[in-house]
Amino acid sequence: MASTFSKVLLAGLTAFFLSVSLLAPPAAAQAPASVNPTAQSVKEQQLLDALKPGQALSGRASIPNKNAATLIQPGRDWRAYNQETLPRLAAIAVLGALAALVLFYLLRGKIMIDAGRSTMRILRFGAIDRFVHWLTATSFLTLALTGANVTFGKTLLAPIMGAEAFAAWAGFAKLIHNYVGFAFMAGVALTFLIWVKDNIPNMIDVKWFAAGGGLLSKGSHPPAKRFNGGQKIVFWSVVLGGAFMSISGWHLLFPTNEGLAEVQWHATIHGTLAFVMLALILAHIYIGSVGMEGAFDAMGSGEVDLNWAKEHHSLWVKEEQARKGTSRISGAAQPAE
Ligand code: HEM
């Protein structure tokens, strides 16, 4: 009797616990924040639910590349910045710079040599100066075009070229970008070495800026040595901006030993600074070519008109005239008036 009772009791308890365990929700569906991807087999949605902003879901990796252990990285903010915010900022910077230049041209016109061209010329930049300038300039412009393709290509070019042609071009552009980066790094380093002595800021620059650089009104020419205040801004922007572009670019080229968050930071700095530099360089190109009579010669033949030099770099001309040894001034002397 007692044994029959205990058998019934045992069967009843077994049935009860069995039904309770079947009714209970599966453990994996509870508390997504406690998901451990290396201990449990989980569904992708659970991993996504467990991911708080800025967090990564990582497990363990026995190979040297620790990034391989990251199942899901914090990248939504980064993606939103790169795909939405950066293109907007870049468009504002580049179109804003172009609009400002058009406005400047309409208000001021081309800056002419006030005294007219002379018959004499003065050597402004020798072969080494010009080689370094054009190495930096051509590599920068190549990088700007191939880099802008990353930010704008998919939106602007892909619809025109078609997906396949765009994919081929984008792959080629990336390759060019990676290699030309080294030429730019060399150009920036050489620019620093050959021109730093003439680009230390001083009080002459303060006076130059106070006079608006003589750019705003005809006939006003504040004194300047070899480089004026505005050119020193260009120089330091190229050197410091170029250094930051080079460091961040290097980390993007060789990212194997760092975390993904670091790589994202380098990509953000690289993309943002690129467009700031491009906006400034557009102004530089304008003033060094169509915006100012006689300016391009400095980087073309290397010799500039003496009157141009006297108007824009009066103190430098005096230094050159006082130089002993070979004169850098050539051409027929002007008849006395
Ligand atoms: C087609 C494009 C360009 C033209 C026509 C141009 C023209 C010039 C000219 C004429 C000068 C000498 C100005 C003077 O005699 O005082 C100069 C200087 C200079 N350029 Fe360029 N340039 C171009 C692109 C670039 C680029 C892309 C960079 C760098 C990313 C650059 C960096 C510099 C620097 C650092 C100087 C010395 C500082 C200054 O004069 O502003 N240039 N450029």
Side-chain angles (χ1 to χ4, degrees), residues 124-125 133 137 140 195 231 234 281 284-285 288 295 298-299 308:
R124 183 143 172 77
F125 294 114
H133 175 264
F140 177 87
W195 287 339
Q231 289 177 301
V234 173
I281 289 298
H284 168 76
I285 293 175
M299 283 302 168
W308 178 92

Side-chain angles (χ1 to χ4, degrees), residues 124-125 133-134 136-138 140-141 184 188 191 195 199 226-228 230-236 238-239 277 281 284-289 294-300 304 308 313:
R124 183 143 172 77
F125 294 114
H133 175 264
W134 289 118
T136 316
T138 48
F140 177 87
L141 294 175
F184 178 68
V188 168
T191 298
W195 287 339
N199 277 287
R226 193 179 189 205
F227 292 111
N228 61 40
Q231 289 177 301
K232 288 182 185 178
I233 299 236
V234 173
F235 172 84
W236 286 110
V238 169
V239 166
M277 281 186 79
I281 289 298
H284 168 76
I285 293 175
Y286 170 77
I287 213 78
S289 57
F296 185 81
D297 294 345
M299 283 302 168
V304 290
W308 178 92
H313 299 276

